[in-house]
Amino acid sequence: MRSDSGKELTVLKVDGGLTNSDLCMQIQSDTIGINVERPHMREMTALGAAIAAGIGCGFWKSEKDVVNQMRESKKIDIFTPVTTPDVRENHLDAWKKAIKKSFP
């Protein structure tokens, strides 16, 4: 990502079904060497649809009302890398070798 964007990634924010796996999120953090943040509300697509419907039917008066309410209830899980840079590099090298072996 750094080579594509030219910017250093400092945290990875995730949502969706796969994020239900603590193991997957810890592996992600260990692999990339930064914190992974997962909101307690993991299905953001469904939440976005509900917000749009709520604003459309007048449940909320404005987007600002929704944002204020969401800020009050923002709870996240943070997965912190537990591997060393050397271990990360070894795993990445093994991954690259496996990819090369997968293609003739």
Side-chain angles (χ1 to χ4, degrees):
M1 293 177 97
R2 180 181 7 182
S3 63
D4 289 337
S5 69
K7 297 186 180 198
E8 192 70 30
L9 186 64
T10 58
V11 64
L12 179 64
K13 296 184 179 190
V14 298
D15 67 84
L18 188 58
T19 67
N20 287 319
S21 169
D22 288 354
L23 177 61
C24 184
M25 296 301 95
Q26 187 60 55
I27 290 170
Q28 188 75 16
S29 178
D30 290 343
T31 300
I32 60 179
I34 61 173
N35 287 353
V36 172
E37 294 183 359
R38 174 184 68 190
H40 282 200
M41 166 42 104
R42 297 177 192 157
E43 295 297 341
M44 291 299 180
T45 302
L47 178 61
I51 289 170
I55 291 173
C57 75
F59 184 79
W60 289 292
K61 293 178 183 168
S62 70
E63 292 175 27
K64 186 178 180 181
D65 292 339
V66 178
V67 170
N68 289 337
Q69 185 176 356
M70 292 201 51
R71 281 190 182 132
E72 292 173 11
S73 64
K74 186 176 180 183
K75 295 179 182 176
I76 60 171
D77 298 315
I78 299 174
F79 297 86
T80 302
V82 294
T83 57
T84 65
D86 289 339
V87 169
R88 248 188 315 279
E89 194 63 35
N90 287 340
H91 288 169
L92 182 58
D93 289 343
W95 175 257
K96 288 177 181 177
K97 288 177 186 175
I99 295 297
K100 282 183 182 179
K101 288 181 180 182
S102 299
F103 294 98

